[in-house]
Structures are given as C-alpha cells and as structure tokens.
Amino acid sequence: MPGTFEPLPGGGAAVALDDVEISIIRSLAVQLLELIGPGPGEDASADPLAELFAEGPSEPPSDPVLRRLFPDAYRDPERTPGPEAAEEEKAYSAEFRRYTENDLRAGKRENALAVIRSLDMLASAGDGGAVLELTVEQSQQWLGALNDLRLAIGSRLEITDEDDTDLLYQLPDEDPRKPMVMAYLWLGGLQETLVSTLMP
C-alpha cells in the first residue's frame, strides 16, 4: 500500500504515508488555502443569508494559478473568435463568474481543509508514518484537493499539455524545478490510484 490508495471494504480508501509525505501534502494544502483565500467581496462575519445572494467577481484573477483554478467558462482557447463573438464570450464569462466563483472558492477551500484536518488527526504508528483511512465523502474531497494542487503546481511549471509532462522526466537533478516536478508527479500517482478506488 505505500504511496498508493487502496479501496476499503464498504467504500472509502486508505494509503500509507510516512511523516515526510504527510508534511509535504499538508504544507501544499495550506499554501493552496492561502492562495485561494476568501473570494473578493467575501466577509466571514457577514450575514449568512446575505452570503447566499452575494455576487462574486466578474473579471478573471490576475494570478496565473488562480486563472487555472477558476478559468473562464465561455472562452475556447482553441479558436479565435471575431471581435463581436469575443465580446459576447467575455460578457457570458463575466456573468457566469459573478454567480459561481464564490461557491467554487468555498468548495476548494473546504476540500483543502478536509485534507489538512484528516492529516492532523493521523496518529503516528511510531515508525515514522501512518495509514490514512478516508470515507467515500473524504475521498471525494481529497480527489478535489489533489486535482487543485496539481493544477496549481502545473501552472507554476507552465505545463499546458501531456507533451510538457513527458519533458518533466528529462529534467536534470540540478534543475531548481526538480522538487516541484517530483511533487507534481507524485500527487498525480496518488490522484490516479484514488480515482481507481472510487470507480464501481
């Protein structure tokens, strides 16, 4: 089981993690939380009823990682529309973002917090590691958080397609991006095995 999720009887998943792996995942989840932060216009002390009707931002985030986590809904990077169509796509994307981004941010924050909480509750087995057991719901939250972490790291590494991923394996050890690449590939393996535990 080391390094890979395996299904649990009755649903859920389990993975053996050593203390270093636990520390890395927790640190990355905390950084993700800090990056996502509260959405523009969100106020933790606000009236919960007012939050239901709060509008989010209409413009894409300036940070490239946040743009990857919260992409425009109506823009197709594969085609170049004419000026009128581009303006229409921009208007539709702004409208969609206004009513969905706050909820998306809240969901991503909740997934990252679920990862942190489950790691914090792990009791060390005494040999420098522990077995993390997740319910089906926790597995879904972990899957969302792992996906967001890979998107964030992939954005920093400027990975745009599968060919870029293949090039990562060829980086020399002295390349300063190597630790980030190793984390990206490792999280991909975790994500893949977690997906397989959730398939019927």
Side-chain angles (χ1 to χ4, degrees):
M1 185 192 315
T4 61
F5 278 98
E6 294 186 3
L8 288 173
V15 63
L17 298 169
D18 64 31
D19 288 342
V20 173
E21 292 168 330
I22 292 168
S23 175
I24 290 170
I25 296 172
R26 190 185 189 288
S27 173
L28 290 171
V30 167
Q31 290 175 51
L32 182 64
L33 271 178
E34 292 170 353
L35 177 67
I36 293 171
E42 288 184 36
D43 180 2
S45 64
D47 175 11
L49 189 57
E51 285 180 21
L52 287 175
F53 302 101
E55 291 185 7
S58 59
E59 293 296 319
S62 58
D63 185 300
V65 175
L66 289 175
R67 276 198 309 272
R68 187 91 174 260
L69 292 172
F70 304 103
D72 275 335
Y74 290 94
R75 292 211 182 148
D76 183 356
E78 297 296 317
R79 76 181 182 93
T80 308
E84 277 186 30
E87 278 304 310
E88 191 173 274
E89 283 183 3
K90 186 176 179 182
Y92 287 149
S93 290
E95 190 74 3
F96 186 81
R97 184 179 297 280
R98 184 177 296 119
Y99 293 109
T100 60
E101 187 169 313
N102 285 347
D103 286 342
L104 289 173
R105 281 182 184 266
K108 290 178 185 300
R109 276 195 302 273
E110 191 54 44
N111 288 343
L113 279 170
V115 168
I116 293 166
R117 288 180 187 129
S118 59
L119 291 174
D120 286 349
M121 290 175 53
L122 270 180
S124 178
D127 59 355
V131 175
L132 174 70
E133 294 188 357
L134 303 173
T135 64
V136 173
E137 181 182 355
Q138 289 171 325
S139 297
Q140 293 284 357
Q141 290 177 309
W142 264 74
L143 194 56
L146 288 172
N147 186 62
D148 289 341
L149 289 172
R150 291 193 76 236
L151 284 173
I153 294 171
S155 181
R156 291 287 188 239
L157 291 170
E158 299 179 351
I159 296 170
T160 56
D161 57 37
E162 198 59 39
D163 292 339
D164 294 336
T165 304
D166 293 340
L167 294 174
L168 297 180
Y169 291 100
Q170 300 168 17
L171 283 179
D173 289 342
E174 58 274 10
D175 192 301
R177 296 171 296 171
K178 191 72 171 194
M180 200 182 305
V181 166
M182 298 305 292
Y184 177 82
L185 297 172
W186 172 57
L187 291 173
L190 283 176
Q191 183 181 18
E192 189 176 324
T193 60
L194 184 53
V195 166
S196 69
T197 69
L198 296 171
M199 297 180 86

